[in-house]
């Protein structure tokens, strides 16, 4: 019989090394200048419209570019670094600066020529009207016809 001894510290060290690799890879992708930061988005279905909200605090609306197609929304812009000589040097800054670009595919087509936009308190709100065919329509299903088909004499004879 083969006996094997469990070595928990060796296994813990292996797991620690694997976690270090995962975090190192994550840090390397975050430091990529292409992906400095992305604003948070919120998409809600409001019946005849979709309402898209984007958190863009501290960004001048003139620095935001919004492009709308019937299938997707593209939001891009830049949060500029404010360098003023009046303030002493920062000891620590966790703000993210630089360019951003988000593309959000929409669950249903919209009328991209009728989009309304509002930018207030750092929140960009887009009201996206749905295409008429994509709006939720109430369809009545006549169950009497289905019930009438089950009482069909030809069906009753076939069941006997």
């Amino acid at each position: 019989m083969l006996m094997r001894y469990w070595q928990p510290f060796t296994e813990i060290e292996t797991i620690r090394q694997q976690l270090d690799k995962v975090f190192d890879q994550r840090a390397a992708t975050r430091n990529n200048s292409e992906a400095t930061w992305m604003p948070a988005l919120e998409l809600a279905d409001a019946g005849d419209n979709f309402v898209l909200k984007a958190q863009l605090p501290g960004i001048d609306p003139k620095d935001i570019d919004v492009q709308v197609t019937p299938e997707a929304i593209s939001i891009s812009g830049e949060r500029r670094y404010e360098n003023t000589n009046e303030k002493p040097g920062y000891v620590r800054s966790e703000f993210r600066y630089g360019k951003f670009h988000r593309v959000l595919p929409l669950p249903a087509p919209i009328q991209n020529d009728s989009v309304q936009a509002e930018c207030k308190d750092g929140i960009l709100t887009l009201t996206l009207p749905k295409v008429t065919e994509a709006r939720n329509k109430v369809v009545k299903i006549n169950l009497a016809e289905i019930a009438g088909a089950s009482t069909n004499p030809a069906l009753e004879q076939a069941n006997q």
Side-chain angles (χ1 to χ4, degrees):
M1 174 188 296
L2 177 65
M3 291 188 70
R4 185 171 181 194
Y5 293 103
W6 182 48
Q7 298 178 351
F9 294 110
T10 304
E11 293 181 22
I12 290 172
E13 181 62 23
T14 303
I15 291 172
R16 186 192 64 78
Q17 289 173 355
Q18 291 173 348
L19 284 173
D20 285 346
K21 286 180 184 178
V22 169
F23 287 119
D24 288 343
Q25 290 172 352
R26 175 82 174 139
T29 58
R30 287 188 89 181
N31 290 335
N32 185 358
S33 62
E34 293 291 321
T36 55
W37 73 283
M38 291 198 303
L41 300 179
E42 182 178 84
L43 182 65
D45 188 347
D48 292 344
N49 301 313
F50 289 114
V51 177
L52 176 71
K53 293 183 179 183
Q55 286 184 339
L56 301 167
I59 300 177
D60 190 354
K62 294 180 282 186
D63 293 334
I64 301 170
D65 180 37
V66 178
Q67 297 180 8
V68 182
T69 67
E71 296 84 22
I73 304 292
S74 171
I75 301 174
S76 60
E78 183 175 4
R79 180 181 290 156
R80 300 181 194 281
Y81 180 74
E82 297 177 11
N83 189 7
T84 59
N85 295 332
E86 299 169 5
K87 296 181 182 178
Y90 290 107
V91 174
R92 179 181 179 135
S93 176
E94 295 182 355
F95 288 2
R96 297 197 177 214
Y97 296 97
K99 294 183 180 185
F100 66 88
H101 184 238
R102 291 284 314 254
V103 176
L104 180 70
L106 297 170
I110 61 163
Q111 297 174 7
N112 60 331
D113 55 350
S114 302
V115 173
Q116 297 175 354
E118 177 187 15
C119 193
K120 182 179 177 184
D121 297 331
I123 304 291
L124 172 66
T125 304
L126 299 175
T127 304
L128 313 163
K130 294 179 185 177
V131 173
T132 307
E133 294 84 31
R135 293 182 182 167
N136 292 335
K137 294 181 181 178
V138 177
V139 178
K140 181 167 176 37
I141 298 173
N142 191 350
L143 296 176
E145 291 177 7
I146 296 171
S150 66
T151 59
N152 189 344
L155 290 175
E156 288 179 8
Q157 289 177 355
N159 290 334
Q160 294 176 356

